Amino acid sequence: MTEGNVNIQMRLTSVNEVSFMMSPGKITEEVLPENIKLGFSSQIQPEVENNKIALIFGIKYELEGDKVLECVYRFEFEVSGLAQFITIEDNDGITITYIMPHLISVAIGTMRGILVVKTAGTNLSKYPLPIIDPMQLTQTLSNP
């Protein structure tokens, strides 16, 4: 099966905050956007028998080695025929095909909106989450 002809039927069922930390006082008017380092984390929790999968997705902003923002949310999805996209290895490893970039794309877009609201009125509001390629991020998160 090639990626071009896979029919994926999925929906986002819930979004819940896991943790949020912000230190906007460390961001001054003189800080250049390229000086803020962006990091990501993710964890997958599949319930194959229920066609459900949770993505715990985090974003971190650092300035000169200091964490200035960390935001982690749990995104729950319902995916028709989830078993065809997931292989669970004997060593508890999980291989996910086709759907991961879609999950990441939804998480990034939702996080962008969350950060706009959470950072409103602070200096961090000048540093919105940039446009990110979900395919590239999926590969990066899969190969730490």
Side-chain angles (χ1 to χ4, degrees):
M1 185 183 306
T2 64
E3 192 164 344
N5 64 9
V6 174
N7 184 13
I8 301 171
Q9 295 181 357
M10 61 188 280
R11 69 184 185 101
L12 179 64
T13 57
S14 70
V15 178
N16 296 294
E17 185 175 284
V18 174
S19 65
F20 183 80
M21 183 285 301
M22 179 171 61
S23 298
K26 295 180 180 183
I27 303 293
T28 64
E29 296 291 328
E30 294 79 34
V31 172
L32 300 173
E34 57 267 18
N35 291 338
I36 295 178
K37 304 299 178 217
L38 186 59
F40 299 94
S41 63
S42 71
Q43 180 185 4
I44 292 290
Q45 298 174 339
E47 290 181 40
V48 177
E49 63 282 355
N50 296 323
N51 284 327
K52 294 181 180 180
I53 187 166
L55 169 65
I56 299 171
F57 187 74
I59 294 172
K60 178 171 51 174
Y61 286 18
E62 287 187 356
L63 177 64
E64 299 172 353
D66 291 333
K67 191 175 1 176
V68 293
L69 181 137
E70 188 169 46
C71 185
V72 180
Y73 274 75
R74 177 185 173 91
F75 299 85
E76 293 186 17
F77 297 87
E78 195 172 278
V79 181
S80 294
L82 181 60
Q84 69 182 314
F85 304 114
I86 293 186
T87 304
I88 298 177
E89 314 291 334
D90 290 337
N91 62 354
D92 290 332
I94 299 171
T95 301
I96 300 173
T97 55
Y98 305 115
I99 63 171
M100 199 60 192
H102 300 287
L103 303 178
I104 293 286
S105 181
V106 169
I108 290 169
T110 305
M111 283 290 231
R112 186 174 290 112
I114 289 168
L115 290 176
V116 164
V117 172
K118 292 244 187 203
T119 63
T122 73
N123 285 340
L124 277 167
S125 67
K126 297 174 186 160
Y127 306 94
L129 191 59
I131 304 301
I132 299 162
D133 179 353
M135 291 293 285
Q136 184 178 358
L137 184 56
T138 297
Q139 291 172 349
T140 301
L141 291 171
S142 297
N143 302 309

